[in-house]
Amino acid sequence: MSDQQRITVRVPAKINISLAVGPLRADGFHELTTVFQAVDLYDVVTAERAEGIALAVQGPEATGLAADDTNLAWRAAALLAEAGQSRAGVALHVSKFIPVAAGLAGGSGDAAAALLACDRLWGLGTPMAELDALAARLGSDVTFALYGHTALGTGRGERLSPISTTSEFHWVLAVASRGLSTPSVYRELDRQRQATGVPADGAAPDRVVAALQAGDYTALADAMGNDLQPAALALAPELARTLEAGVSAGALGGMVAGSGPTCVFLAQDRATAQSIARDIQASGTCRFAVAVLGNVAGARPATLPADQ
Ligand code: ATP
């Protein structure tokens, strides 16, 4: 049993630099080959000792988010308690800075952060391989949120191999004024594929991995791609204007992030990313745009004194 009263974990959003969607599997999921990168837009999850499980959600991106047992942070705590046969309770507090239903895996990140925070709070010392298995049960992107940096994901995205790169990656996120449900975007992709009989083949993960390893931004901009983009654009056609705004503002390349509707743009350097973010924001084609740094670490605990 740990004697710590409170654990705080910070967890980054993710982008998919390449997202190749294979056929629909018998279990209802698609076979994916994706290149994930963690970016420095963080949610913060705090876990405190309590009886039973309780959850509070606040912060600039918390609007409309349920603070009950449907929340992924709650589900993560409940799953860990069951797996670790722990009767200890937790009061979770989630500060949302990652927009919800934006394709940035904020919910998965909160689940990863809650797993780590509760494991530390309850003094369980769960081996990483077991945390990985619990993460995969909670959602396809939860495992990546535990590790962060840059990785190739296969299966549902939960089987990871790290990609090493020494370069800095500067991105701009253009966040839309509404969310898109991930299952509805996959359904639209299936519908489009059935209607045309042509499998989407826009994404080129191998070329993205090579460009990342070489630190070659031009090759990366050329290779990045997302098989879900046509489906996201069909459901949210206004994103075409956001993409145009980013490219006109000087981005090396732009695309829909994951299942959208966030759009992500690659920039040459930090100053250019900031100027692109300002220009996209001024174009009025998104709710807000922000420059972020890629390849940051995943969920990480930081212990605070009990009175903070
Ligand atoms: P995905 O990770 O499925 O690609 P996403 O990145 O587009 O999704 P998220 O913000 O992770 O979007 O949330 C998807 C859905 O999960 C939301 O619509 C919300 O109802 C539910 N959800 C549950 N818990 C959370 C949470 N802690 N933060 C955000 N969403 C949550």
Side-chain angles (χ1 to χ4, degrees), residues 14 43 55 57 61 64-66 70-75 94 96 98-111 141 180-183 186 257-261:
K14 64 85 187 152
D43 277 354
L55 173 65
V57 184
E61 297 294 331
L65 197 55
T70 63
N71 193 292
L72 281 157
W74 183 307
R75 288 179 45 209
V94 179
K96 289 293 299 177
I98 304 174
V100 175
L104 300 171
S108 301
D110 296 345
D141 297 337
L180 269 182
S181 121
T182 305
Y186 276 97
S259 54

PDB file of all heavy atoms in Angstrom, residues 14 43 55 57 61 64-66 70-75 94 96 98-111 141 180-183 186 257-261, ligand 1:
ATOM      1  N   LYS A  14      -2.770  12.984 -28.934  1.00  0.00           N
ATOM      2  CA  LYS A  14      -1.997  12.340 -30.013  1.00  0.00           C
ATOM      3  C   LYS A  14      -2.517  12.799 -31.367  1.00  0.00           C
ATOM      4  O   LYS A  14      -3.683  13.183 -31.509  1.00  0.00           O
ATOM      5  CB  LYS A  14      -2.044  10.816 -29.933  1.00  0.00           C
ATOM      6  CG  LYS A  14      -3.432  10.163 -30.120  1.00  0.00           C
ATOM      7  CD  LYS A  14      -3.865   9.916 -31.552  1.00  0.00           C
ATOM      8  CE  LYS A  14      -5.297   9.446 -31.633  1.00  0.00           C
ATOM      9  NZ  LYS A  14      -6.026   9.747 -32.821  1.00  0.00           N
ATOM     10  N   ASP A  43      -4.085  16.949 -20.922  1.00  0.00           N
ATOM     11  CA  ASP A  43      -5.060  16.861 -19.845  1.00  0.00           C
ATOM     12  C   ASP A  43      -4.292  16.540 -18.565  1.00  0.00           C
ATOM     13  O   ASP A  43      -3.190  15.965 -18.627  1.00  0.00           O
ATOM     14  CB  ASP A  43      -6.077  15.730 -20.100  1.00  0.00           C
ATOM     15  CG  ASP A  43      -7.211  16.146 -21.020  1.00  0.00           C
ATOM     16  OD1 ASP A  43      -7.291  17.345 -21.377  1.00  0.00           O
ATOM     17  OD2 ASP A  43      -8.025  15.274 -21.387  1.00  0.00           O
ATOM     18  N   LEU A  55     -15.722  11.185  -9.432  1.00  0.00           N
ATOM     19  CA  LEU A  55     -15.053  11.885 -10.541  1.00  0.00           C
ATOM     20  C   LEU A  55     -15.598  13.297 -10.668  1.00  0.00           C
ATOM     21  O   LEU A  55     -16.805  13.512 -10.611  1.00  0.00           O
ATOM     22  CB  LEU A  55     -15.316  11.114 -11.849  1.00  0.00           C
ATOM     23  CG  LEU A  55     -14.837  11.776 -13.149  1.00  0.00           C
ATOM     24  CD1 LEU A  55     -13.324  11.887 -13.203  1.00  0.00           C
ATOM     25  CD2 LEU A  55     -15.329  10.966 -14.356  1.00  0.00           C
ATOM     26  N   VAL A  57     -14.997  16.658 -13.390  1.00  0.00           N
ATOM     27  CA  VAL A  57     -14.356  17.073 -14.642  1.00  0.00           C
ATOM     28  C   VAL A  57     -14.528  18.575 -14.777  1.00  0.00           C
ATOM     29  O   VAL A  57     -15.624  19.098 -14.621  1.00  0.00           O
ATOM     30  CB  VAL A  57     -15.015  16.372 -15.859  1.00  0.00           C
ATOM     31  CG1 VAL A  57     -14.282  16.736 -17.138  1.00  0.00           C
ATOM     32  CG2 VAL A  57     -15.016  14.864 -15.688  1.00  0.00           C
ATOM     33  N   GLU A  61     -12.158  22.570 -21.771  1.00  0.00           N
ATOM     34  CA  GLU A  61     -12.743  21.658 -22.762  1.00  0.00           C
ATOM     35  C   GLU A  61     -13.655  20.611 -22.107  1.00  0.00           C
ATOM     36  O   GLU A  61     -13.879  19.543 -22.673  1.00  0.00           O
ATOM     37  CB  GLU A  61     -11.638  20.981 -23.580  1.00  0.00           C
ATOM     38  CG  GLU A  61     -10.795  21.946 -24.400  1.00  0.00           C
ATOM     39  CD  GLU A  61     -11.587  22.645 -25.526  1.00  0.00           C
ATOM     40  OE1 GLU A  61     -12.552  22.061 -26.036  1.00  0.00           O
ATOM     41  OE2 GLU A  61     -11.230  23.801 -25.872  1.00  0.00           O
ATOM     42  N   GLY A  64     -20.066  19.476 -21.360  1.00  0.00           N
ATOM     43  CA  GLY A  64     -20.892  18.378 -21.855  1.00  0.00           C
ATOM     44  C   GLY A  64     -20.341  16.996 -21.554  1.00  0.00           C
ATOM     45  O   GLY A  64     -20.963  15.993 -21.905  1.00  0.00           O
ATOM     46  N   LEU A  65     -19.209  16.920 -20.901  1.00  0.00           N
ATOM     47  CA  LEU A  65     -18.584  15.617 -20.657  1.00  0.00           C
ATOM     48  C   LEU A  65     -19.137  14.998 -19.370  1.00  0.00           C
ATOM     49  O   LEU A  65     -19.149  15.650 -18.326  1.00  0.00           O
ATOM     50  CB  LEU A  65     -17.067  15.810 -20.551  1.00  0.00           C
ATOM     51  CG  LEU A  65     -16.213  14.573 -20.687  1.00  0.00           C
ATOM     52  CD1 LEU A  65     -16.515  13.832 -21.986  1.00  0.00           C
ATOM     53  CD2 LEU A  65     -14.753  14.968 -20.660  1.00  0.00           C
ATOM     54  N   ALA A  66     -19.601  13.768 -19.453  1.00  0.00           N
ATOM     55  CA  ALA A  66     -20.193  13.101 -18.287  1.00  0.00           C
ATOM     56  C   ALA A  66     -19.112  12.799 -17.252  1.00  0.00           C
ATOM     57  O   ALA A  66     -18.023  12.343 -17.599  1.00  0.00           O
ATOM     58  CB  ALA A  66     -20.861  11.807 -18.731  1.00  0.00           C
ATOM     59  N   THR A  70     -19.475   6.262 -17.097  1.00  0.00           N
ATOM     60  CA  THR A  70     -19.229   6.115 -18.535  1.00  0.00           C
ATOM     61  C   THR A  70     -17.936   6.812 -18.940  1.00  0.00           C
ATOM     62  O   THR A  70     -17.423   6.593 -20.037  1.00  0.00           O
ATOM     63  CB  THR A  70     -20.383   6.711 -19.383  1.00  0.00           C
ATOM     64  OG1 THR A  70     -20.453   8.123 -19.121  1.00  0.00           O
ATOM     65  CG2 THR A  70     -21.711   6.056 -19.048  1.00  0.00           C
ATOM     66  N   ASN A  71     -17.444   7.690 -18.076  1.00  0.00           N
ATOM     67  CA  ASN A  71     -16.200   8.414 -18.401  1.00  0.00           C
ATOM     68  C   ASN A  71     -15.020   7.438 -18.388  1.00  0.00           C
ATOM     69  O   ASN A  71     -14.912   6.582 -17.511  1.00  0.00           O
ATOM     70  CB  ASN A  71     -15.985   9.547 -17.394  1.00  0.00           C
ATOM     71  CG  ASN A  71     -14.924  10.511 -17.860  1.00  0.00           C
ATOM     72  OD1 ASN A  71     -13.756  10.154 -17.927  1.00  0.00           O
ATOM     73  ND2 ASN A  71     -15.333  11.713 -18.209  1.00  0.00           N
ATOM     74  N   LEU A  72     -14.149   7.592 -19.374  1.00  0.00           N
ATOM     75  CA  LEU A  72     -13.044   6.637 -19.509  1.00  0.00           C
ATOM     76  C   LEU A  72     -12.093   6.670 -18.313  1.00  0.00           C
ATOM     77  O   LEU A  72     -11.481   5.641 -17.987  1.00  0.00           O
ATOM     78  CB  LEU A  72     -12.284   6.912 -20.811  1.00  0.00           C
ATOM     79  CG  LEU A  72     -12.996   6.334 -22.042  1.00  0.00           C
ATOM     80  CD1 LEU A  72     -12.563   7.067 -23.315  1.00  0.00           C
ATOM     81  CD2 LEU A  72     -12.669   4.842 -22.165  1.00  0.00           C
ATOM     82  N   ALA A  73     -11.966   7.813 -17.654  1.00  0.00           N
ATOM     83  CA  ALA A  73     -11.100   7.884 -16.469  1.00  0.00           C
ATOM     84  C   ALA A  73     -11.692   7.013 -15.358  1.00  0.00           C
ATOM     85  O   ALA A  73     -10.971   6.241 -14.701  1.00  0.00           O
ATOM     86  CB  ALA A  73     -10.970   9.333 -16.009  1.00  0.00           C
ATOM     87  N   TRP A  74     -12.983   7.109 -15.153  1.00  0.00           N
ATOM     88  CA  TRP A  74     -13.681   6.279 -14.151  1.00  0.00           C
ATOM     89  C   TRP A  74     -13.527   4.805 -14.510  1.00  0.00           C
ATOM     90  O   TRP A  74     -13.198   3.966 -13.670  1.00  0.00           O
ATOM     91  CB  TRP A  74     -15.157   6.682 -14.122  1.00  0.00           C
ATOM     92  CG  TRP A  74     -15.989   5.973 -13.092  1.00  0.00           C
ATOM     93  CD1 TRP A  74     -16.104   4.627 -12.892  1.00  0.00           C
ATOM     94  CD2 TRP A  74     -16.830   6.593 -12.099  1.00  0.00           C
ATOM     95  NE1 TRP A  74     -16.962   4.359 -11.879  1.00  0.00           N
ATOM     96  CE2 TRP A  74     -17.427   5.539 -11.364  1.00  0.00           C
ATOM     97  CE3 TRP A  74     -17.160   7.915 -11.782  1.00  0.00           C
ATOM     98  CZ2 TRP A  74     -18.327   5.786 -10.334  1.00  0.00           C
ATOM     99  CZ3 TRP A  74     -18.057   8.142 -10.755  1.00  0.00           C
ATOM    100  CH2 TRP A  74     -18.616   7.099 -10.033  1.00  0.00           C
ATOM    101  N   ARG A  75     -13.779   4.484 -15.809  1.00  0.00           N
ATOM    102  CA  ARG A  75     -13.710   3.075 -16.228  1.00  0.00           C
ATOM    103  C   ARG A  75     -12.318   2.503 -16.010  1.00  0.00           C
ATOM    104  O   ARG A  75     -12.155   1.335 -15.644  1.00  0.00           O
ATOM    105  CB  ARG A  75     -14.146   2.932 -17.694  1.00  0.00           C
ATOM    106  CG  ARG A  75     -15.668   3.148 -17.835  1.00  0.00           C
ATOM    107  CD  ARG A  75     -16.123   3.044 -19.268  1.00  0.00           C
ATOM    108  NE  ARG A  75     -15.534   1.910 -19.943  1.00  0.00           N
ATOM    109  CZ  ARG A  75     -15.287   1.864 -21.248  1.00  0.00           C
ATOM    110  NH1 ARG A  75     -15.573   2.905 -22.016  1.00  0.00           N
ATOM    111  NH2 ARG A  75     -14.756   0.801 -21.787  1.00  0.00           N
ATOM    112  N   VAL A  94     -10.388  15.459 -13.317  1.00  0.00           N
ATOM    113  CA  VAL A  94      -9.822  15.580 -14.672  1.00  0.00           C
ATOM    114  C   VAL A  94      -9.914  17.030 -15.119  1.00  0.00           C
ATOM    115  O   VAL A  94     -11.005  17.609 -15.129  1.00  0.00           O
ATOM    116  CB  VAL A  94     -10.582  14.678 -15.676  1.00  0.00           C
ATOM    117  CG1 VAL A  94     -10.005  14.840 -17.080  1.00  0.00           C
ATOM    118  CG2 VAL A  94     -10.523  13.214 -15.249  1.00  0.00           C
ATOM    119  N   LYS A  96      -9.701  19.167 -18.305  1.00  0.00           N
ATOM    120  CA  LYS A  96      -9.717  18.937 -19.755  1.00  0.00           C
ATOM    121  C   LYS A  96      -9.194  20.149 -20.521  1.00  0.00           C
ATOM    122  O   LYS A  96      -9.776  21.232 -20.472  1.00  0.00           O
ATOM    123  CB  LYS A  96     -11.152  18.677 -20.244  1.00  0.00           C
ATOM    124  CG  LYS A  96     -11.767  17.366 -19.865  1.00  0.00           C
ATOM    125  CD  LYS A  96     -11.147  16.137 -20.490  1.00  0.00           C
ATOM    126  CE  LYS A  96     -11.174  16.023 -21.996  1.00  0.00           C
ATOM    127  NZ  LYS A  96     -10.454  14.786 -22.428  1.00  0.00           N
ATOM    128  N   ILE A  98      -7.695  19.019 -23.684  1.00  0.00           N
ATOM    129  CA  ILE A  98      -7.759  18.363 -24.994  1.00  0.00           C
ATOM    130  C   ILE A  98      -9.233  18.343 -25.419  1.00  0.00           C
ATOM    131  O   ILE A  98     -10.076  17.806 -24.689  1.00  0.00           O
ATOM    132  CB  ILE A  98      -7.214  16.918 -24.927  1.00  0.00           C
ATOM    133  CG1 ILE A  98      -5.782  16.894 -24.362  1.00  0.00           C
ATOM    134  CG2 ILE A  98      -7.278  16.266 -26.301  1.00  0.00           C
ATOM    135  CD1 ILE A  98      -5.207  15.496 -24.122  1.00  0.00           C
ATOM    136  N   PRO A  99      -9.551  18.940 -26.568  1.00  0.00           N
ATOM    137  CA  PRO A  99     -10.949  18.978 -26.995  1.00  0.00           C
ATOM    138  C   PRO A  99     -11.547  17.574 -27.127  1.00  0.00           C
ATOM    139  O   PRO A  99     -10.855  16.630 -27.502  1.00  0.00           O
ATOM    140  CB  PRO A  99     -10.893  19.682 -28.354  1.00  0.00           C
ATOM    141  CG  PRO A  99      -9.615  20.438 -28.343  1.00  0.00           C
ATOM    142  CD  PRO A  99      -8.661  19.643 -27.500  1.00  0.00           C
ATOM    143  N   VAL A 100     -12.838  17.459 -26.790  1.00  0.00           N
ATOM    144  CA  VAL A 100     -13.539  16.170 -26.784  1.00  0.00           C
ATOM    145  C   VAL A 100     -14.033  15.836 -28.198  1.00  0.00           C
ATOM    146  O   VAL A 100     -14.458  16.722 -28.948  1.00  0.00           O
ATOM    147  CB  VAL A 100     -14.740  16.236 -25.808  1.00  0.00           C
ATOM    148  CG1 VAL A 100     -15.572  14.952 -25.871  1.00  0.00           C
ATOM    149  CG2 VAL A 100     -14.244  16.478 -24.388  1.00  0.00           C
ATOM    150  N   ALA A 101     -13.992  14.545 -28.534  1.00  0.00           N
ATOM    151  CA  ALA A 101     -14.475  14.048 -29.834  1.00  0.00           C
ATOM    152  C   ALA A 101     -13.831  14.807 -30.992  1.00  0.00           C
ATOM    153  O   ALA A 101     -14.470  15.161 -31.968  1.00  0.00           O
ATOM    154  CB  ALA A 101     -16.003  14.112 -29.924  1.00  0.00           C
ATOM    155  N   ALA A 102     -12.530  15.068 -30.850  1.00  0.00           N
ATOM    156  CA  ALA A 102     -11.796  15.883 -31.815  1.00  0.00           C
ATOM    157  C   ALA A 102     -10.797  15.070 -32.620  1.00  0.00           C
ATOM    158  O   ALA A 102     -10.063  15.616 -33.438  1.00  0.00           O
ATOM    159  CB  ALA A 102     -11.068  17.005 -31.073  1.00  0.00           C
ATOM    160  N   GLY A 103     -10.705  13.764 -32.355  1.00  0.00           N
ATOM    161  CA  GLY A 103      -9.723  12.930 -33.051  1.00  0.00           C
ATOM    162  C   GLY A 103      -8.349  12.987 -32.405  1.00  0.00           C
ATOM    163  O   GLY A 103      -7.363  12.515 -32.970  1.00  0.00           O
ATOM    164  N   LEU A 104      -8.276  13.546 -31.173  1.00  0.00           N
ATOM    165  CA  LEU A 104      -6.989  13.729 -30.495  1.00  0.00           C
ATOM    166  C   LEU A 104      -6.812  12.756 -29.324  1.00  0.00           C
ATOM    167  O   LEU A 104      -5.824  12.839 -28.592  1.00  0.00           O
ATOM    168  CB  LEU A 104      -6.874  15.179 -29.988  1.00  0.00           C
ATOM    169  CG  LEU A 104      -6.944  16.254 -31.088  1.00  0.00           C
ATOM    170  CD1 LEU A 104      -7.036  17.657 -30.473  1.00  0.00           C
ATOM    171  CD2 LEU A 104      -5.732  16.165 -32.018  1.00  0.00           C
ATOM    172  N   ALA A 105      -7.785  11.855 -29.163  1.00  0.00           N
ATOM    173  CA  ALA A 105      -7.715  10.789 -28.151  1.00  0.00           C
ATOM    174  C   ALA A 105      -7.602  11.294 -26.722  1.00  0.00           C
ATOM    175  O   ALA A 105      -6.934  10.674 -25.889  1.00  0.00           O
ATOM    176  CB  ALA A 105      -6.576   9.805 -28.473  1.00  0.00           C
ATOM    177  N   GLY A 106      -8.269  12.393 -26.429  1.00  0.00           N
ATOM    178  CA  GLY A 106      -8.245  12.920 -25.055  1.00  0.00           C
ATOM    179  C   GLY A 106      -8.861  11.942 -24.066  1.00  0.00           C
ATOM    180  O   GLY A 106      -8.348  11.774 -22.954  1.00  0.00           O
ATOM    181  N   GLY A 107      -9.942  11.301 -24.451  1.00  0.00           N
ATOM    182  CA  GLY A 107     -10.589  10.337 -23.555  1.00  0.00           C
ATOM    183  C   GLY A 107      -9.663   9.161 -23.270  1.00  0.00           C
ATOM    184  O   GLY A 107      -9.521   8.724 -22.127  1.00  0.00           O
ATOM    185  N   SER A 108      -8.995   8.669 -24.310  1.00  0.00           N
ATOM    186  CA  SER A 108      -8.036   7.571 -24.131  1.00  0.00           C
ATOM    187  C   SER A 108      -6.890   8.021 -23.229  1.00  0.00           C
ATOM    188  O   SER A 108      -6.410   7.261 -22.379  1.00  0.00           O
ATOM    189  CB  SER A 108      -7.458   7.146 -25.485  1.00  0.00           C
ATOM    190  OG  SER A 108      -8.482   6.724 -26.339  1.00  0.00           O
ATOM    191  N   GLY A 109      -6.462   9.259 -23.411  1.00  0.00           N
ATOM    192  CA  GLY A 109      -5.390   9.813 -22.580  1.00  0.00           C
ATOM    193  C   GLY A 109      -5.802   9.853 -21.119  1.00  0.00           C
ATOM    194  O   GLY A 109      -5.025   9.476 -20.229  1.00  0.00           O
ATOM    195  N   ASP A 110      -7.040  10.276 -20.854  1.00  0.00           N
ATOM    196  CA  ASP A 110      -7.509  10.337 -19.463  1.00  0.00           C
ATOM    197  C   ASP A 110      -7.549   8.940 -18.853  1.00  0.00           C
ATOM    198  O   ASP A 110      -7.258   8.760 -17.663  1.00  0.00           O
ATOM    199  CB  ASP A 110      -8.907  10.966 -19.392  1.00  0.00           C
ATOM    200  CG  ASP A 110      -8.901  12.424 -19.858  1.00  0.00           C
ATOM    201  OD1 ASP A 110      -7.812  13.019 -19.961  1.00  0.00           O
ATOM    202  OD2 ASP A 110      -9.997  12.954 -20.126  1.00  0.00           O
ATOM    203  N   ALA A 111      -7.909   7.952 -19.675  1.00  0.00           N
ATOM    204  CA  ALA A 111      -7.931   6.571 -19.181  1.00  0.00           C
ATOM    205  C   ALA A 111      -6.514   6.121 -18.816  1.00  0.00           C
ATOM    206  O   ALA A 111      -6.289   5.534 -17.752  1.00  0.00           O
ATOM    207  CB  ALA A 111      -8.520   5.646 -20.241  1.00  0.00           C
ATOM    208  N   ASP A 141      -6.540   3.513 -28.384  1.00  0.00           N
ATOM    209  CA  ASP A 141      -5.466   4.508 -28.302  1.00  0.00           C
ATOM    210  C   ASP A 141      -4.882   4.647 -26.891  1.00  0.00           C
ATOM    211  O   ASP A 141      -3.988   5.464 -26.661  1.00  0.00           O
ATOM    212  CB  ASP A 141      -5.996   5.893 -28.723  1.00  0.00           C
ATOM    213  CG  ASP A 141      -6.460   5.923 -30.172  1.00  0.00           C
ATOM    214  OD1 ASP A 141      -5.993   5.072 -30.963  1.00  0.00           O
ATOM    215  OD2 ASP A 141      -7.279   6.785 -30.503  1.00  0.00           O
ATOM    216  N   LEU A 180     -16.829  15.046 -33.881  1.00  0.00           N
ATOM    217  CA  LEU A 180     -17.281  13.984 -34.790  1.00  0.00           C
ATOM    218  C   LEU A 180     -17.149  12.679 -34.003  1.00  0.00           C
ATOM    219  O   LEU A 180     -16.129  12.459 -33.345  1.00  0.00           O
ATOM    220  CB  LEU A 180     -16.377  13.895 -36.017  1.00  0.00           C
ATOM    221  CG  LEU A 180     -16.708  14.710 -37.266  1.00  0.00           C
ATOM    222  CD1 LEU A 180     -15.693  14.412 -38.363  1.00  0.00           C
ATOM    223  CD2 LEU A 180     -18.125  14.439 -37.765  1.00  0.00           C
ATOM    224  N   SER A 181     -18.159  11.819 -34.096  1.00  0.00           N
ATOM    225  CA  SER A 181     -18.053  10.556 -33.380  1.00  0.00           C
ATOM    226  C   SER A 181     -17.193   9.591 -34.204  1.00  0.00           C
ATOM    227  O   SER A 181     -17.417   9.415 -35.407  1.00  0.00           O
ATOM    228  CB  SER A 181     -19.454  10.009 -33.102  1.00  0.00           C
ATOM    229  OG  SER A 181     -19.617   8.751 -33.686  1.00  0.00           O
ATOM    230  N   THR A 182     -16.206   8.996 -33.539  1.00  0.00           N
ATOM    231  CA  THR A 182     -15.283   8.094 -34.241  1.00  0.00           C
ATOM    232  C   THR A 182     -16.034   6.951 -34.947  1.00  0.00           C
ATOM    233  O   THR A 182     -15.777   6.695 -36.137  1.00  0.00           O
ATOM    234  CB  THR A 182     -14.224   7.551 -33.251  1.00  0.00           C
ATOM    235  OG1 THR A 182     -13.586   8.670 -32.641  1.00  0.00           O
ATOM    236  CG2 THR A 182     -13.193   6.684 -33.925  1.00  0.00           C
ATOM    237  N   PRO A 183     -16.975   6.258 -34.284  1.00  0.00           N
ATOM    238  CA  PRO A 183     -17.680   5.169 -34.986  1.00  0.00           C
ATOM    239  C   PRO A 183     -18.413   5.649 -36.236  1.00  0.00           C
ATOM    240  O   PRO A 183     -18.446   4.949 -37.254  1.00  0.00           O
ATOM    241  CB  PRO A 183     -18.678   4.645 -33.935  1.00  0.00           C
ATOM    242  CG  PRO A 183     -18.093   5.046 -32.618  1.00  0.00           C
ATOM    243  CD  PRO A 183     -17.363   6.333 -32.860  1.00  0.00           C
ATOM    244  N   TYR A 186     -15.911   5.882 -39.136  1.00  0.00           N
ATOM    245  CA  TYR A 186     -15.590   4.550 -39.691  1.00  0.00           C
ATOM    246  C   TYR A 186     -16.755   3.991 -40.501  1.00  0.00           C
ATOM    247  O   TYR A 186     -16.558   3.375 -41.544  1.00  0.00           O
ATOM    248  CB  TYR A 186     -15.196   3.578 -38.562  1.00  0.00           C
ATOM    249  CG  TYR A 186     -13.742   3.708 -38.174  1.00  0.00           C
ATOM    250  CD1 TYR A 186     -13.357   4.485 -37.093  1.00  0.00           C
ATOM    251  CD2 TYR A 186     -12.747   3.066 -38.904  1.00  0.00           C
ATOM    252  CE1 TYR A 186     -12.022   4.620 -36.735  1.00  0.00           C
ATOM    253  CE2 TYR A 186     -11.412   3.182 -38.562  1.00  0.00           C
ATOM    254  CZ  TYR A 186     -11.058   3.968 -37.470  1.00  0.00           C
ATOM    255  OH  TYR A 186      -9.737   4.096 -37.134  1.00  0.00           O
ATOM    256  N   ALA A 257      -7.023  15.151 -38.596  1.00  0.00           N
ATOM    257  CA  ALA A 257      -6.343  14.401 -37.530  1.00  0.00           C
ATOM    258  C   ALA A 257      -7.210  13.228 -37.099  1.00  0.00           C
ATOM    259  O   ALA A 257      -8.343  13.435 -36.652  1.00  0.00           O
ATOM    260  CB  ALA A 257      -6.100  15.322 -36.331  1.00  0.00           C
ATOM    261  N   GLY A 258      -6.716  12.001 -37.220  1.00  0.00           N
ATOM    262  CA  GLY A 258      -7.469  10.814 -36.788  1.00  0.00           C
ATOM    263  C   GLY A 258      -8.859  10.808 -37.415  1.00  0.00           C
ATOM    264  O   GLY A 258      -9.022  10.995 -38.620  1.00  0.00           O
ATOM    265  N   SER A 259      -9.877  10.650 -36.565  1.00  0.00           N
ATOM    266  CA  SER A 259     -11.259  10.639 -37.068  1.00  0.00           C
ATOM    267  C   SER A 259     -11.825  12.053 -37.192  1.00  0.00           C
ATOM    268  O   SER A 259     -12.992  12.218 -37.527  1.00  0.00           O
ATOM    269  CB  SER A 259     -12.129   9.782 -36.149  1.00  0.00           C
ATOM    270  OG  SER A 259     -12.006  10.237 -34.819  1.00  0.00           O
ATOM    271  N   GLY A 260     -10.994  13.064 -36.950  1.00  0.00           N
ATOM    272  CA  GLY A 260     -11.428  14.445 -37.094  1.00  0.00           C
ATOM    273  C   GLY A 260     -12.337  14.860 -35.943  1.00  0.00           C
ATOM    274  O   GLY A 260     -12.567  14.085 -35.023  1.00  0.00           O
ATOM    275  N   PRO A 261     -12.872  16.082 -36.010  1.00  0.00           N
ATOM    276  CA  PRO A 261     -12.723  17.041 -37.092  1.00  0.00           C
ATOM    277  C   PRO A 261     -11.537  17.992 -36.948  1.00  0.00           C
ATOM    278  O   PRO A 261     -11.417  18.926 -37.737  1.00  0.00           O
ATOM    279  CB  PRO A 261     -14.034  17.839 -37.015  1.00  0.00           C
ATOM    280  CG  PRO A 261     -14.375  17.829 -35.559  1.00  0.00           C
ATOM    281  CD  PRO A 261     -13.854  16.533 -35.003  1.00  0.00           C
TER     282      PRO A 261
HETATM  283  P1  ATP B   1     -11.179   8.333 -30.134  1.00  0.00           P
HETATM  284  O1  ATP B   1     -10.157   8.259 -29.041  1.00  0.00           O
HETATM  285  O2  ATP B   1     -12.281   7.313 -29.986  1.00  0.00           O
HETATM  286  O3  ATP B   1     -10.619   8.471 -31.512  1.00  0.00           O
HETATM  287  P2  ATP B   1     -11.635  11.154 -30.040  1.00  0.00           P
HETATM  288  O4  ATP B   1     -10.198  11.367 -29.895  1.00  0.00           O
HETATM  289  O5  ATP B   1     -12.269  11.695 -31.280  1.00  0.00           O
HETATM  290  O6  ATP B   1     -12.008   9.651 -29.877  1.00  0.00           O
HETATM  291  P3  ATP B   1     -12.315  11.647 -27.282  1.00  0.00           P
HETATM  292  O7  ATP B   1     -12.286  13.026 -26.762  1.00  0.00           O
HETATM  293  O8  ATP B   1     -11.260  10.715 -26.856  1.00  0.00           O
HETATM  294  O9  ATP B   1     -12.433  11.760 -28.851  1.00  0.00           O
HETATM  295  O10 ATP B   1     -13.739  11.040 -26.855  1.00  0.00           O
HETATM  296  C1  ATP B   1     -14.591  10.263 -27.594  1.00  0.00           C
HETATM  297  C2  ATP B   1     -15.872  10.048 -26.758  1.00  0.00           C
HETATM  298  O11 ATP B   1     -15.543   9.371 -25.537  1.00  0.00           O
HETATM  299  C3  ATP B   1     -16.522  11.361 -26.339  1.00  0.00           C
HETATM  300  O12 ATP B   1     -17.543  11.710 -27.215  1.00  0.00           O
HETATM  301  C4  ATP B   1     -17.048  11.089 -24.942  1.00  0.00           C
HETATM  302  O13 ATP B   1     -18.424  10.878 -24.946  1.00  0.00           O
HETATM  303  C5  ATP B   1     -16.378   9.806 -24.478  1.00  0.00           C
HETATM  304  N1  ATP B   1     -15.526  10.014 -23.273  1.00  0.00           N
HETATM  305  C6  ATP B   1     -15.538   9.270 -22.182  1.00  0.00           C
HETATM  306  N2  ATP B   1     -14.652   9.704 -21.277  1.00  0.00           N
HETATM  307  C7  ATP B   1     -14.039  10.771 -21.809  1.00  0.00           C
HETATM  308  C8  ATP B   1     -13.021  11.657 -21.342  1.00  0.00           C
HETATM  309  N3  ATP B   1     -12.442  11.526 -20.138  1.00  0.00           N
HETATM  310  N4  ATP B   1     -12.624  12.643 -22.184  1.00  0.00           N
HETATM  311  C9  ATP B   1     -13.184  12.753 -23.414  1.00  0.00           C
HETATM  312  N5  ATP B   1     -14.164  11.960 -23.876  1.00  0.00           N
HETATM  313  C10 ATP B   1     -14.592  10.961 -23.098  1.00  0.00           C
END
